[in-house]
Amino acid sequence: MQFDDVILGRRSIRGYKPDPVPKALIEEIIGLAIRAPSSMNTQPWNFYVVTGEPLNRIRAGNTERMLAGVPQSREFRTGQGFTGQHRDRQVGVAKQLFSAMGIARDDKNMRQDWVLRGFRQFDAPVCIIVTYDRVLDGSDDTPFDCGAVTTALVNAAWSRRLGAVINSQGIMQSPVVREHAGIADDQVIMKSIALGWPDENFPANAVVSERKSVKEATVFVGFDS
């Protein structure tokens, strides 16, 4: 793909084929992603790539604990809930997804099933857990850098016809994730990425979230016009 094709064509994939993803292909994608810039070349990121039975144990543990009412234990701070226009955008994409999936506003069972898909990493064959070095905890640059490498990773995946969705649901229960992914104590769990071959028949995969315009997002200073 050309660069523009990747950027304009990529979308979050929430339905996957069960087909495995070759390890060599994932290594290739990560190799591209880690060319992302980082503050003073600190490269704070690490990746735990999980599939098969270990991933199934994470799915089960996440789901069981959430259904049992165990409080979420994300390690990277969540911040306050969205308000104003940010909340409007959050609700807007949810409406797009629910409409595509035929989930009615008052259908509690289907809504819960949709939420549980997130805890199961959307049933993708691969989960990539993004961590950063604990010695950098508290640095404002570190999450910025991890965001850059994560964006590069999902774009590299898309360029290879793989789908991905960045999420936090899959790491809500960090003790489960740590145990079954074997995450080292010197790492902080930041995000997870569901990865696999897109299921073209899954309705939500056709959803393209809306973006604000360049005019809305940009202030030009010192230009003639």
Side-chain angles (χ1 to χ4, degrees), residues 2-72:
Q2 296 296 315
F3 180 78
D4 287 11
D5 296 330
V6 174
I7 300 302
L8 296 174
R10 191 211 61 82
R11 56 191 181 276
S12 294
I13 298 299
R14 297 175 174 86
Y16 296 87
K17 297 176 181 178
D19 308 39
V21 181
K23 180 182 176 183
L25 180 56
I26 299 172
E27 289 177 330
E28 180 180 324
I29 288 166
I30 292 175
L32 290 171
I34 59 177
R35 296 303 304 169
S38 64
S39 176
M40 292 169 281
N41 198 35
T42 50
Q43 302 178 59
W45 50 69
N46 287 292
F47 310 95
Y48 288 76
V49 185
V50 190
T51 192
E53 189 54 34
L55 180 52
N56 288 335
R57 290 196 290 267
I58 291 174
R59 298 190 216 275
N62 273 338
T63 303
E64 290 167 6
R65 287 166 66 101
M66 297 303 292
L67 287 174
V70 177
Q72 65 95 357

Side-chain angles (χ1 to χ4, degrees), residues 3 45 80 110 142 152 196:
F3 180 78
W45 50 69
Q80 301 298 314
M110 287 191 70
T142 294

Side-chain angles (χ1 to χ4, degrees), residues 18 62 98 100 121 164 199 214:
N62 273 338
F98 287 171
Q121 280 291 328
D199 179 355
V214 174

Side-chain angles (χ1 to χ4, degrees), residues 3 11-13 20 50 52 65 71 73 76 91 104 109 120 126 134 156 163 184 186 197 221:
F3 180 78
R11 56 191 181 276
S12 294
I13 298 299
V50 190
R65 287 166 66 101
S73 52
F76 184 72
V91 171
N109 290 333
R120 299 195 310 264
V126 176
R134 191 177 296 278
D186 66 356
W197 305 106
V221 180

Side-chain angles (χ1 to χ4, degrees), residues 77-118:
R77 60 189 181 275
T78 58
Q80 301 298 314
F82 297 132
T83 60
Q85 62 182 353
H86 305 105
R87 173 62 176 169
D88 291 342
R89 292 184 189 123
Q90 179 187 23
V91 171
V93 74
K95 287 180 177 178
Q96 285 182 272
L97 292 168
F98 287 171
S99 176
M101 296 300 297
I103 302 174
R105 183 180 180 85
D106 58 353
D107 192 331
K108 293 182 179 180
N109 290 333
M110 287 191 70
R111 289 170 74 93
Q112 183 184 51
D113 180 68
W114 182 258
V115 171
L116 293 179
R117 286 183 60 82

Side-chain angles (χ1 to χ4, degrees), residues 196-214:
W197 305 106
D199 179 355
E200 295 85 356
N201 297 317
F202 191 77
N205 287 348
V207 170
V208 179
S209 56
E210 297 176 355
R211 293 291 191 270
K212 58 183 179 181
S213 67
V214 174

Side-chain angles (χ1 to χ4, degrees), residues 1 156-163 196-198:
M1 291 188 189
W158 190 261
S159 77
R160 267 59 177 172
R161 310 294 179 182
L162 283 165
W197 305 106

